[in-house]
């Protein structure tokens, strides 16, 4: 049991708490699901990019899936070996591509024919061969929120099967490209197995047809996307997930790469915020708290649900309230019509499932410093990022101040 009250009093609010032991257990369960096959779990850094979190996964043997060169640098700093680092993303700059090639990561996930051209050119300038994989868009509806769905042709991600084939042929014939993998990632917060299975089947067929033209791949990269329970979702069991994927790979000797983000971190994180006061506008009840959309954007961005636990001595009956922050936007809310008891100044609200896409999506909007982050391991808590102070927020402007 985590003592939220004590943590809030020690570290002040708003506050992120991460349970590293929970994250370990998630990692081990998923890794175990692929037992009997060569596999790498490449932690999707964007879901929680704190260096200590990445480093924790590094000690478990994890790789890293990165979507910017900044994330690649984080992966190196946190001790992820180069041969387990993947660089994905729909728009990589020349500088990013160059640095990724120089760092000799496992491969670059290429998302368009034009990008393949850039990678080839840059590898040629550097007089090296670059390992690549192609992100295939299998045109399967992942049955998730449209903002986090990526595997349909309507989305900007990946390339169609025919384009992928052309890209592999080109790469195979190039001195500067070495096609080693194939990749798909159809969306996030997936709770249905069927779209994953169907996508894997389509992509595995492509691997077979590439084999027949002498393109021999080593890595079958199934992306991330495993959903978690925020409220009452029925989620996919890692074992079933692995079995579904493996069943499409009969006769193929490929290393599985899986890029979980949310699955590893979401339910290992808590966001703690204090009640400032209650107010009413007509019949509408609001609970105003010290955290805001700049700390945790998901409710504002996706209308995402986070379970809220009220830590209070109040024994009143629950009634519905909107939980809102101090930011000057109507979109600044954590919950709408959420049943809560009457709350007092300094009562604590714990927002559950805040370990993924929480802190990392934060901003300094309204000149608010980002929260402190604290990790707990074996019952011991320690700061893994200090709270941002006013001086941090103005540091990059101060010397440029126009007087
Ligand atoms: C975001 C992302 C992931 C992780 O997604 P989750 O839903 O957090 O598991 C994995 N791979 C790629 C390429 C991504 O963009």
């Amino acid at each position: 049991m985590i003592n939220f009250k004590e943590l809030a009093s020690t570290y002040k609010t708003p506050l992120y708490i991460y349970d590293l032991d929970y994250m370990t257990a998630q990692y081990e369960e998923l890794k175990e699901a692929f037992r009997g096959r060569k596999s790498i779990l490449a932690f999707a850094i964007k879901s929680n990019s704190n260096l200590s979190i990445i480093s924790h996964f590094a000690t478990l043997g994890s790789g890293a899936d990165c979507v910017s060169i900044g994330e690649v640098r984080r992966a190196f700093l946190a001790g992820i070996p180069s041969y387990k680092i993947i660089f994905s993303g729909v728009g990589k700059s020349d500088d990013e591509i160059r640095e990724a090639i120089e760092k000799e990561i496992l491969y670059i996930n290429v998302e368009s024919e034009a990008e393949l051209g850039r990678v080839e050119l840059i590898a040629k300038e550097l007089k090296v061969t670059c390992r690549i994989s192609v992100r295939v868009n299998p045109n399967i509806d992942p049955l998730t929120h449209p903002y986090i769905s990526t595997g349909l042709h309507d989305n900007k991600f990946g390339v169609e099967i025919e384009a992928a084939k052309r890209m592999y042929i080109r790469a195979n014939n190039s001195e500067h490209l070495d096609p080693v993998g194939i990749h798909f990632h159809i969306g996030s917060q997936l709770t249905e197995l069927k779209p994953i299975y169907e996508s894997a089947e389509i992509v595995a067929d492509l691997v077979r047809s590439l084999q027949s033209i002498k393109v021999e791949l080593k890595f079958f990269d199934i992306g991330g996307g495993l959903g978690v329970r925020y409220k009452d979702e029925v989620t996919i069991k890692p074992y079933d997930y692995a079995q579904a994927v493996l069943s499409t790979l009969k006769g193929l000797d490929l290393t599985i790469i899986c890029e979980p983000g949310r699955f590893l971190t979401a339910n290992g994180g808590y966001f703690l915020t204090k009640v400032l006061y209650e107010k009413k506008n007509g019949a509408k009840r609001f609970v105003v708290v010290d955290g805001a959309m700049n700390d945790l954007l998901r409710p504002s961005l996706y209308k995402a649900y986070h379970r809220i636990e009220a830590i209070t001595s109040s024994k009143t009956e629950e009634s519905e309230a909107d939980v809102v922050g101090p930011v000057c936007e109507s979109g600044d809310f954590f919950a709408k019509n959420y049943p809560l008891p009457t709350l007092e100044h300094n009562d604590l609200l714990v927002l559950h499932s805040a370990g993924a896409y929480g802190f990392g999506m934060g901003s300094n909007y309204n000149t608010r410093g980002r929260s402190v982050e604290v990790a707990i391991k074996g019952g011991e808590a320690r700061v893994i990022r200090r709270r941002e102070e006013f001086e941090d927020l103005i540091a990059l402007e101060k010397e440029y101040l126009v007087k």
Side-chain angles (χ1 to χ4, degrees):
M1 274 296 281
I2 299 174
N3 189 338
F4 292 118
K5 214 169 164 175
E6 190 180 301
L7 289 165
S9 118
T10 307
Y11 300 104
K12 309 292 177 264
T13 56
L15 164 65
Y16 272 95
I17 304 283
Y18 305 122
D19 178 350
L20 296 186
D21 298 319
Y22 171 88
M23 294 184 190
T24 303
Q26 292 294 98
Y27 179 91
E28 297 295 353
E29 184 182 3
L30 190 53
K31 181 72 185 161
E32 177 69 16
F34 288 102
R35 194 172 54 149
R37 269 272 180 171
K38 281 170 287 179
S39 71
I40 297 174
L41 299 189
F43 171 50
I45 286 184
K46 72 174 185 287
S47 74
N48 188 325
S49 50
N50 185 290
L51 283 175
S52 297
I53 299 289
I54 306 169
S55 152
H56 177 68
F57 286 116
T59 61
L60 300 176
S62 180
D65 176 58
C66 308
V67 292
S68 70
I69 205 67
E71 288 191 355
V72 172
R73 291 181 188 175
R74 277 184 184 269
F76 273 93
L77 260 178
I80 307 260
S82 57
Y83 58 86
K84 289 185 183 174
I85 295 176
I86 298 156
F87 183 19
S88 310
V90 77
K92 307 178 189 75
S93 72
D94 287 357
D95 286 345
E96 289 184 306
I97 293 169
R98 189 171 299 110
E99 188 172 330
I101 294 175
E102 285 170 345
K103 285 191 149 78
E104 298 186 23
I105 62 170
L106 182 58
Y107 52 79
I108 295 181
N109 250 329
V110 176
E111 299 219 15
S112 64
E113 297 190 79
E115 185 179 58
L116 189 70
R118 295 309 305 171
V119 173
E120 184 177 28
L121 197 76
I122 294 165
K124 189 175 172 191
E125 281 167 15
L126 295 171
K127 301 190 175 62
V128 296
T129 303
C130 176
R131 285 180 297 275
I132 59 119
S133 95
V134 174
R135 176 162 177 179
V136 177
N137 182 326
N139 200 27
I140 294 280
D141 187 344
L143 310 172
T144 181
H145 190 288
Y147 283 17
I148 49 179
S149 130
T150 54
L152 279 168
H153 284 169
D154 286 357
N155 291 120
K156 65 180 177 180
F157 298 99
V159 300
E160 295 171 68
I161 301 287
E162 284 311 309
K165 253 188 204 165
R166 283 196 299 274
M167 289 163 72
Y168 279 112
I169 292 167
R170 172 168 172 190
N172 221 29
N173 291 328
S174 166
E175 247 184 90
H176 299 287
L177 297 171
D178 182 13
V180 295
I182 194 158
H183 175 240
F184 64 96
H185 170 77
I186 58 171
S188 199
Q189 184 56 9
L190 306 175
T191 52
E192 303 279 338
L193 203 47
K194 199 162 158 254
I196 300 170
Y197 171 76
E198 286 174 358
S199 303
E201 211 171 25
I202 289 169
V203 178
D205 282 345
L206 177 56
V207 172
R208 290 188 186 92
S209 88
L210 289 170
Q211 270 185 341
S212 67
I213 52 171
K214 297 274 173 301
V215 179
E216 298 284 348
L217 302 179
K218 296 187 191 76
F219 301 102
F220 191 77
D221 183 340
I222 62 175
L226 259 191
V228 302
R229 181 172 292 181
Y230 285 97
K231 189 178 187 181
D232 49 14
E233 298 91 335
V234 179
T235 55
I236 301 165
K237 290 188 182 63
Y239 178 82
D240 297 338
Y241 173 62
Q243 290 307 308
V245 169
L246 296 177
S247 71
T248 67
L249 296 182
K250 297 220 167 67
L252 293 172
D253 180 23
L254 295 164
T255 298
I256 307 279
I257 309 270
C258 180
E259 304 167 347
R262 191 187 310 271
F263 176 81
L264 298 180
T265 53
N267 281 324
Y270 305 85
F271 179 67
L272 275 54
T273 182
K274 263 189 179 166
V275 173
L276 298 176
Y277 16 76
E278 291 224 16
K279 68 182 272 185
K280 275 202 162 165
N281 282 345
K284 184 89 194 165
R285 177 184 169 209
F286 292 96
V287 174
V288 186
V289 296
D290 66 355
M293 64 188 288
N294 78 295
D295 299 300
L296 177 62
L297 185 62
R298 298 185 69 257
S300 306
L301 187 62
Y302 312 123
K303 297 201 175 71
Y305 174 93
H306 286 271
R307 184 162 78 79
I308 299 178
E309 181 184 344
I311 299 185
T312 170
S313 49
S314 157
K315 301 261 182 333
T316 58
E317 273 205 18
E318 292 183 341
S319 71
E320 288 188 351
D322 285 10
V323 179
V324 301
V327 163
C328 301
E329 296 283 343
S330 296
D332 181 26
F333 63 87
F334 289 136
K336 299 237 180 198
N337 303 318
Y338 200 100
L340 289 167
T342 304
L343 295 164
E344 305 280 342
H345 184 70
N346 283 344
D347 279 347
L348 196 60
L349 296 184
V350 181
L351 277 77
H352 286 252
S353 315
Y357 307 103
F359 183 91
M361 277 193 188
S363 75
N364 294 123
Y365 189 41
N366 281 205
T367 304
R368 290 171 52 89
R370 277 173 291 185
S371 315
V372 58
E373 292 178 289
V374 169
I376 305 177
K377 189 175 169 183
E380 298 264 335
R382 70 184 178 87
V383 172
I384 56 173
R385 189 183 202 270
R386 70 163 168 80
R387 185 180 302 284
E388 285 175 351
E389 303 298 344
F390 177 68
E391 285 300 322
D392 298 318
L393 304 191
I394 57 163
L396 306 181
E397 297 158 46
K398 224 163 133 185
E399 63 177 292
Y400 300 99
L401 177 62
V402 182
K403 285 211 176 109

